[in-house]
Amino acid sequence: MPKTRALIPFWLLVPCLVALVSFSAAHAGEYEAIGSLKETQRAAKQGSVEAQNSLGMIYRDGLGVPRDYAEALKWYRMAADKGHPEAQCHLAAMYRDGKGVKKDPDEARKWYLQAAEKGFPEAQFSLGLLYRQNNTDPESAREAVKWLQKGAEQGLADAQHALGVLLSDPSTPVRDDQQAVVWLKKAAEQEFPKAQTALGMLLASGTGVEKDPVQALMWLNLAVTQGDPTAGKKRTLLRDSLSPEEIAKAKELADRWVPPALEKLTAPVKEKGKP
């Protein structure tokens, strides 16, 4: 009699198939990165500033290669010397943080300035932060406002938040509570949790804006949801001073809140000639 082969039940194969698919998905990026790395290295050596900047990031973050700050610094400098603003910003950060090179605040400021003057918002933000470190000095505070505002006007939520915090600082000579509210609200509407917390506290105290504890609690609710670790205690203190109706209203507002950018995307398109 011919031998019969034992058939393996399909349900026993399912875990193996799932594991195989998961392994392939998990490592697909690595295989792609290896090919991309070779292409990037080739283009960088041929003088491509975009590739040189990308190679700097690859070595800085250890993407498919061992992390090597010195090598990252080399490639960032190549692109930065050719005027690439993003590479200049990354190079400045390495000097600021002392990665691959000795910490040098003056060198960091120099490279941030070059990128910031080209309109690179992350550099404008970072340069503003450097000046903000000495925000009790009038000249430094004004420079901080200048560069943070440039980044903020380009829609960078980090810069909007930092500018709002600076302008609401009682110790700074550039204090402007009303403008602080404006910039914190812009960042808060981009779902920047720390800005939501800061805006909530200004609304709770009526600083630079009409006092509105319900709106304040709404923003603190959103900040907690977004993960700001400082928002929870502040929310609890504020809730203790409000009525159950006010607490319920704030919760309703937070539950219904939609970021303005998303609201624009989802708004129905009006037909021509119709209101």
Side-chain angles (χ1 to χ4, degrees):
M1 292 181 63
K3 293 182 179 180
T4 58
R5 294 181 180 177
L7 296 177
I8 301 175
F10 178 75
W11 63 269
L12 287 176
L13 293 175
V14 171
C16 299
L17 292 172
V18 171
L20 179 60
V21 171
S22 300
F23 179 84
S24 300
H27 292 272
E30 294 180 14
Y31 301 142
E32 184 180 345
I34 292 170
S36 176
L37 174 60
K38 290 180 180 178
E39 294 168 9
T40 303
Q41 288 172 327
R42 187 181 306 113
K45 289 175 182 176
Q46 291 173 353
S48 166
V49 290
E50 290 295 341
Q52 290 167 349
N53 178 58
S54 295
L55 201 54
M57 285 189 278
I58 286 170
Y59 280 110
R60 181 197 65 190
D61 298 335
L63 303 175
V65 296
R67 177 171 286 167
D68 188 334
Y69 289 132
E71 192 70 9
L73 189 80
K74 180 184 84 173
W75 291 107
Y76 278 145
R77 186 181 297 280
M78 284 188 189
D81 284 338
K82 295 173 185 175
H84 192 284
E86 186 176 353
Q88 291 172 335
C89 187
H90 290 314
L91 182 61
M94 297 195 79
Y95 275 108
R96 179 197 65 199
D97 300 334
K99 291 184 176 178
V101 68
K102 185 179 178 181
K103 278 188 179 183
D104 190 334
D106 292 333
E107 194 71 7
R109 185 177 287 106
K110 181 189 86 172
W111 287 110
Y112 275 137
L113 179 61
Q114 290 190 39
E117 288 178 337
K118 292 182 177 72
F120 195 69
E122 286 79 5
Q124 293 167 341
F125 161 63
S126 297
L127 184 59
L129 290 185
L130 287 182
Y131 280 111
R132 198 183 72 172
Q133 291 174 358
N134 191 21
N135 66 358
T136 56
D137 173 67
E139 185 177 351
S140 293
R142 284 192 294 270
E143 283 295 303
V145 170
K146 168 186 168 181
W147 289 110
L148 288 174
Q149 187 164 338
K150 285 181 182 293
E153 287 171 349
Q154 294 200 63
L156 190 65
D158 288 287
Q160 293 168 346
H161 168 251
L163 180 57
V165 170
L166 172 60
L167 293 173
S168 63
D169 185 347
S171 68
T172 182
V174 293
R175 183 177 181 180
D176 186 333
D177 290 326
Q178 291 182 336
Q179 279 299 300
V181 171
V182 169
W183 289 111
L184 287 172
K185 187 176 182 183
K186 287 181 182 293
E189 288 178 342
Q190 292 197 66
E191 300 183 273
F192 197 87
K194 289 183 178 180
Q196 293 173 337
T197 299
L199 178 60
M201 296 309 294
L202 292 182
L203 282 162
S205 63
T207 303
V209 65
E210 185 177 350
K211 189 173 182 178
D212 190 335
V214 173
Q215 280 285 322
L217 184 56
M218 181 202 78
W219 284 112
L220 289 172
N221 284 338
L222 291 170
V224 170
T225 301
Q226 292 291 329
D228 182 8
T230 70
K233 289 183 179 179
K234 294 172 182 176
R235 180 178 69 169
T236 299
L237 288 172
L238 179 58
R239 287 180 61 175
D240 288 344
S241 67
L242 301 182
S243 68
E245 292 77 18
E246 289 173 318
I247 293 170
K249 181 61 176 177
K251 183 180 184 305
E252 179 189 349
L253 290 173
D255 290 342
R256 289 168 45 196
W257 185 80
V258 177
L262 182 59
E263 194 171 25
K264 288 180 183 178
L265 290 174
T266 56
V269 179
K270 294 181 180 179
E271 294 182 24
K272 288 185 177 181
K274 292 187 178 182

